[in-house]
Amino acid sequence: EDQVTQSPEALRLQEGESSSLNCSYTVSGLRGLFWYRQDPGKGPEFLFTLYSAGEEKEKERLKATLTKKESFLHITAPKPEDSATYLCAVSGSRLTFGEGTQLTVNP
Amino acid sequence: GAGVSQSPRYKVAKRGQDVALRCDPISGHVSLFWYQQALGQGPEFLTYFQNEAQLDKSGLPSDRFFAERPEGSVSTLKIQRTQQEDSAVYLCASSVQETQYFGPGTRLLVL
């Protein structure tokens, strides 16, 4: 059975304080690892897809990396508008999500 | 272009009532997925369509849950005889390759 574990469950940062979110996974036949952002009362918003170990993708202050066992979402100099829940998911036979990391960035 | 839309956005049902939730996928997207998201949790897979064919319904929690996509576009998730444990956000997603794009969800509250 595919499994995804995200840590930490919650993270509070000061504006400009860089950090990383972790996503550990086990999957039979990885077809892709996905990062989504979810704001309260909204559906998940797609951020990145990673397909193979060593792959990296960047978008504004976010950078996602992938190894054979885990993925990291690095947040550089975050702003308050980056506050959200960040979800990681793996695609094996179906899309399996972690429980998310709730990020709060204080001004 | 237009994203995935869902209606209603909010639904309050009395226990035992039947409900129907609608999903309009992104135009041209062959695959359509339904998920259930409890408060503070990640989405959990319910069912998957490729065009009008329901290829996987193994995530549906009971036989009270039924989904259809008769013309390969709009989909409806129906819950019969709702129970309090059915209260959750129901998310729909569509995709053309691996990446799924989500709608805003329907928040269902069963009293």
Side-chain angles (χ1 to χ4, degrees):
Chain A
E1 183 179 332
D2 300 344
Q3 288 192 324
V4 177
T5 303
Q6 291 189 245
S7 62
E9 291 184 9
L11 180 63
R12 286 187 174 271
L13 300 174
Q14 288 300 120
E15 184 171 3
E17 180 186 1
S18 302
S19 188
S20 296
L21 312 182
N22 177 263
C23 170
S24 299
Y25 66 90
T26 56
V27 63
S28 300
L30 180 69
R31 289 161 53 181
L33 184 139
F34 305 83
W35 282 98
Y36 288 86
R37 168 191 172 130
Q38 188 171 28
D39 291 293
K42 297 189 177 181
E45 174 190 346
F46 170 72
L47 294 174
F48 302 109
T49 306
L50 302 168
Y51 292 104
S52 57
E55 189 174 359
E56 299 182 351
K57 288 195 176 171
E58 288 188 66
K59 178 181 179 181
E60 296 181 352
R61 295 177 293 281
L62 300 177
K63 177 180 175 181
T65 62
L66 181 65
T67 73
K68 289 186 178 179
K69 294 183 178 180
E70 57 190 351
S71 177
F72 291 93
L73 184 65
H74 306 277
I75 303 177
T76 302
K79 298 182 177 181
E81 53 262 43
D82 294 323
S83 297
T85 295
Y86 290 84
L87 294 166
C88 172
V90 294
S91 178
S93 58
R94 59 175 65 172
L95 199 59
T96 300
F97 281 85
E99 296 191 351
T101 293
Q102 186 174 351
L103 174 67
T104 303
V105 182
N106 296 314
Chain B
V4 177
S5 61
Q6 292 186 244
S7 62
R9 291 296 315 278
Y10 303 93
K11 177 70 178 177
V12 179
K14 292 182 179 179
R15 189 164 55 93
Q17 185 179 354
D18 296 349
V19 299
L21 313 180
R22 176 187 169 105
C23 172
D24 283 82
I26 294 171
S27 178
H29 279 197
V30 169
S31 299
L32 184 146
F33 305 82
W34 284 98
Y35 294 84
Q36 182 188 62
Q37 187 174 26
L39 190 64
Q41 305 290 314
E44 290 198 1
F45 172 83
L46 293 177
T47 187
Y48 157 54
F49 290 86
Q50 186 168 315
N51 294 306
E52 68 278 4
Q54 190 173 19
L55 299 186
D56 186 348
K57 56 181 180 179
S58 61
L60 296 175
S62 78
D63 58 8
R64 296 185 295 104
F65 286 71
F66 172 76
E68 60 183 7
R69 194 186 185 196
E71 298 180 358
S73 179
V74 171
S75 178
T76 303
L77 177 67
K78 297 180 179 179
I79 309 173
Q80 298 176 324
R81 305 181 303 281
T82 53
Q83 303 295 314
Q84 286 186 323
E85 60 263 30
D86 299 335
S87 296
V89 175
Y90 291 86
L91 294 164
C92 175
S94 69
S95 73
V96 63
Q97 293 183 348
E98 288 294 330
T99 299
Q100 296 182 26
Y101 298 91
F102 284 80
T106 294
R107 186 175 298 273
L108 174 65
L109 177 62
V110 182
L111 301 176

